[in-house]
Amino acid sequence: DAGVTQSPTHLIKTRGQHVTLRCSPISGHKSVSWYQQVLGQGPQFIFQYYEKEERGRGNFPDRFSARQFPNYSSELNVNALLLGDSALYLCASSRGGSYGYTFGSGTRLTVV
Amino acid sequence: KQEVTQIPAALSVPEGENLVLNCSFTDSAIYNLQWFRQDPGKGLTSLLLIQSSQREQTSGRLNASLDKSSGRSTLYIAASQPGDSATYLCATQGGSEKLVFGKGTKLTVNP
């Protein structure tokens, strides 16, 4: 089985632009979460979706939004990009509950 | 609000040494605790998952323990190898199902 796949792997955007990051979970996993990791820090929770419904949102501005599709894949959207949005964006999937999470390889976003 | 702390922030050891990485958390109401490995610029690889009802988990040269009452977990690595060099992150999962991470311990194993 394929693991969690994220696309693209790297991305360079200009301040003020919009970006869409994509994630495909492990087959059978209905929960998808997004995390932001800046250099030298642990990942910070952004969103969690389960069965296409938002289950949780971290302390991020409204410029960040996400959705989950019927096939359980997910998109993370960020509007009006700031330099401070430069980070590694990680997607994780889970069967739900206390089964633990599997992470993808991440998308490295650089805002210039 | 859960806070997770990892000590030390960095550790350098000679090859073959046994070592312990520490993780502490403030809220003991967790579902589980997960240890991850992260290579530079890469995603997270899950190493061990300890459910709240368990005391420890083992995988190969790795052993993780969990003491909920004291808010502590340790990751023991036996006979360390240069290939073990990476950043090790611990994360707790509570009722909200989100993971709360520490900042990690950067391990360097010298040949």
Side-chain angles (χ1 to χ4, degrees):
Chain A
D1 276 345
V4 178
T5 57
Q6 292 187 242
S7 62
T9 55
H10 295 84
L11 203 52
I12 299 176
K13 288 287 190 178
T14 304
R15 276 177 298 176
Q17 284 188 315
H18 164 270
V19 69
T20 297
L21 310 182
R22 295 177 174 84
C23 172
S24 292
I26 289 174
S27 177
H29 285 193
K30 298 181 179 180
S31 174
V32 171
S33 298
W34 289 94
Y35 290 79
Q36 181 197 65
Q37 186 180 28
V38 298
L39 201 61
Q41 301 292 316
Q44 296 293 313
F45 173 73
I46 311 176
F47 284 108
Q48 187 207 3
Y49 279 79
Y50 183 80
E51 287 278 19
K52 294 158 288 189
E53 291 190 1
E54 182 182 303
R55 283 287 187 90
R57 170 188 282 258
N59 188 24
F60 281 81
D62 291 343
R63 298 185 297 107
F64 288 76
S65 63
R67 54 180 176 168
Q68 186 177 32
F69 298 99
N71 66 354
Y72 303 111
S73 66
S74 177
E75 283 183 354
L76 176 69
N77 295 282
V78 187
N79 292 324
L81 285 167
L82 303 174
L83 295 179
D85 295 330
S86 296
L88 181 67
Y89 288 84
L90 295 163
C91 174
S93 76
S94 171
R95 285 189 279 173
S98 63
Y99 285 101
Y101 286 86
T102 302
F103 280 77
S105 298
T107 294
R108 170 69 63 186
L109 172 65
T110 302
V111 182
V112 298
Chain B
K1 176 188 171 187
Q2 178 74 284
E3 293 182 3
V4 178
T5 304
Q6 292 187 246
I7 294 174
L11 182 63
S12 182
V13 301
E15 182 177 2
E17 190 162 299
N18 302 326
L19 59 102
V20 174
L21 306 181
N22 296 293
C23 172
S24 62
F25 48 94
T26 55
D27 185 353
S28 61
I30 60 172
Y31 280 178
N32 60 49
L33 185 144
Q34 206 165 349
W35 281 93
F36 296 91
R37 168 186 172 137
Q38 186 173 34
D39 294 296
K42 304 296 184 182
L44 307 182
T45 300
S46 180
L47 298 173
L48 290 164
L49 170 69
I50 312 176
Q51 300 290 349
S52 61
S53 58
Q54 298 174 322
R55 297 282 292 184
E56 64 179 282
Q57 281 287 329
T58 298
S59 176
R61 296 182 294 109
L62 305 180
N63 176 277
S65 68
L66 174 64
D67 184 343
K68 277 183 55 179
S69 61
S70 66
R72 294 183 181 185
S73 176
T74 61
L75 179 67
Y76 174 83
I77 302 177
S80 58
Q81 303 171 357
D84 295 330
S85 298
T87 295
Y88 291 81
L89 294 152
C90 71
T92 62
Q93 181 182 353
S96 67
E97 296 193 18
K98 74 174 185 180
L99 295 177
V100 179
F101 285 86
K103 292 184 178 181
T105 294
K106 183 177 181 179
L107 173 66
T108 303
V109 181
N110 302 299

